[in-house]
Amino acid sequence: MKIVHTIKDLQVDLSALKAQGKRVGLVPTMGALHAGHASLVKRCVAENDVTVVSIFVNPTQFNDKNDLAKYPRSLEADCELLEACGATFAFAPSVEEMYPQPDTRRFSYPPLDTVMEGKYRPGHFNGVCQVVSKLFDIVKPQRAYFGEKDFQQLAIVREMVRQLRLPVEIVGCPEVREESGLALSSRNARLSDGERQDAARISQILFASRPYAKEHTVEETKRFVEQGIAAVPGLRLEYFEIVDGNTLQAIADWHDTSYAVGCVTVYCGEVRLIDHIDY
Ligand code: PAF
């Protein structure tokens, strides 16, 4: 595997490979890689001739400077994992390389980006679209792989690709969980052992809400999850919404959609965690 830091170096190598007819897949990441990322990379390696994994902690998608500063960074370990997964390139540019000038482009996909994470992290999805569209332009992949864990992000990236008619196939890959049920996230690296146990309660409560939902209304199911989380002293709920999985709009009745998804954001200590479940 080759580690590249500049757009030019990556493009020189990629154009030689593309001239040989190789198909290129991209896995955009912010590093601090874990088994969830490994599953995306392995799938990309299996479905393409060349796999580019970008490792870039994108400042424009952080609305909280403290969160950006504390985001875990581990390039060396990341590259070892990528090598073991069979990636062709790790693309790890600097902030100056990606943003020589401020990116003034604005991306807005209402109503997908006005709810949930869009509401609580203003500007977040604009930043995600800035960097993802830039990466698509640099790499020009045939396919790009995103985790379903970031459920709203995946819906917004799909919408951006649809509206801008970008020539890339977006592949969504299933969320990966620890044995405890905790959804894998780079942010988990910041949890203490005790916090990890509290954090595992989030998915356990979501899973318990599935059978509960079969016998109860949307409102009651919301309350079940909200109260479950409130009962764990180490957790602080930011929001729990039950939405139509396609439009991401809140539903009032199970009959409003055939694809209901519960999306949750919870603080565990200082660490902000997201998860979701389909009903
Ligand atoms: O999901 C992430 O890790 C990031 O939002 C992404 C897609 C790599 C863009 O920075």
Side-chain angles (χ1 to χ4, degrees), residues 4-267:
V4 242
H5 297 285
T6 69
I7 296 169
K8 189 150 178 262
D9 286 350
L10 181 66
Q11 287 183 330
V12 167
D13 284 346
L14 284 180
S15 49
L17 291 161
K18 284 178 184 169
Q20 297 165 26
K22 306 277 190 207
R23 283 163 313 147
V24 176
L26 169 69
V27 185
T29 83
M30 297 206 298
L33 303 180
H34 49 65
H37 294 111
S39 75
L40 302 181
V41 177
K42 285 183 190 155
R43 176 140 176 215
C44 184
V45 168
E47 295 179 353
N48 302 276
D49 303 310
V50 172
T51 291
V52 179
V53 181
S54 60
I55 299 177
F56 179 63
V57 182
N58 172 38
T60 73
Q61 71 188 73
F62 286 82
N63 57 325
D64 175 349
K65 282 202 169 61
N66 199 28
D67 193 23
L68 171 62
K70 291 203 169 145
Y71 200 85
R73 288 159 170 89
S74 52
L75 185 60
E76 210 172 301
D78 290 349
C79 289
E80 277 168 27
L81 180 140
L82 294 180
E83 178 106 52
C85 292
T88 325
F89 295 101
F91 174 50
S94 65
V95 172
E96 295 70 34
E97 181 72 6
M98 287 297 278
Y99 296 108
Q101 297 96 28
D103 192 335
T104 55
R105 295 172 304 154
R106 290 290 168 262
F107 297 83
S108 163
Y109 299 108
L112 297 178
D113 60 357
T114 53
V115 294
M116 300 192 289
E117 292 301 279
K119 184 165 151 201
Y120 286 89
R121 299 183 74 189
H124 169 66
F125 288 121
N126 186 56
V128 169
C129 291
Q130 285 177 337
V131 78
V132 169
S133 61
K134 231 175 227 278
L135 289 167
F136 287 171
D137 187 50
I138 293 165
V139 177
K140 299 195 170 48
Q142 269 93 348
R143 298 194 186 93
Y145 295 76
F146 292 84
E148 284 170 1
K149 159 151 192 300
D150 294 300
F151 186 72
Q152 190 172 7
Q153 168 173 280
L154 178 57
I156 289 167
V157 168
R158 283 192 197 284
E159 186 60 15
M160 174 180 76
V161 165
R162 196 185 69 76
Q163 289 200 19
L164 300 180
R165 303 171 61 86
L166 302 178
V168 56
E169 181 193 336
I170 301 301
V171 184
C173 303
E175 186 162 22
V176 181
R177 295 181 182 279
E178 288 184 355
E179 216 168 290
S180 66
L182 176 63
L184 294 192
S185 161
S186 303
R187 292 171 193 272
N188 294 353
R190 293 179 52 205
L191 298 171
S192 67
D193 289 347
E195 285 173 339
R196 241 186 152 76
Q197 284 179 19
D198 291 340
R201 294 288 299 130
I202 301 167
S203 59
Q204 290 159 8
I205 292 161
L206 288 182
F207 282 119
S209 75
R210 213 184 239 155
Y212 184 91
K214 298 232 177 303
E215 318 264 307
H216 295 84
T217 64
V218 168
E219 203 45 50
E220 287 164 345
T221 306
K222 274 192 76 177
R223 239 184 344 259
F224 176 87
V225 170
E226 287 164 0
Q227 289 175 351
I229 288 171
V232 183
L235 299 180
R236 182 165 60 79
L237 180 73
E238 187 157 79
Y239 66 80
F240 175 63
E241 294 285 356
I242 299 180
V243 301
D244 175 311
N246 294 311
T247 65
L248 305 187
Q249 302 310 291
I251 58 166
D253 190 288
W254 297 117
H255 296 294
D256 290 348
T257 178
S258 56
Y259 180 28
V261 180
C263 298
V264 74
T265 291
V266 177
Y267 277 92

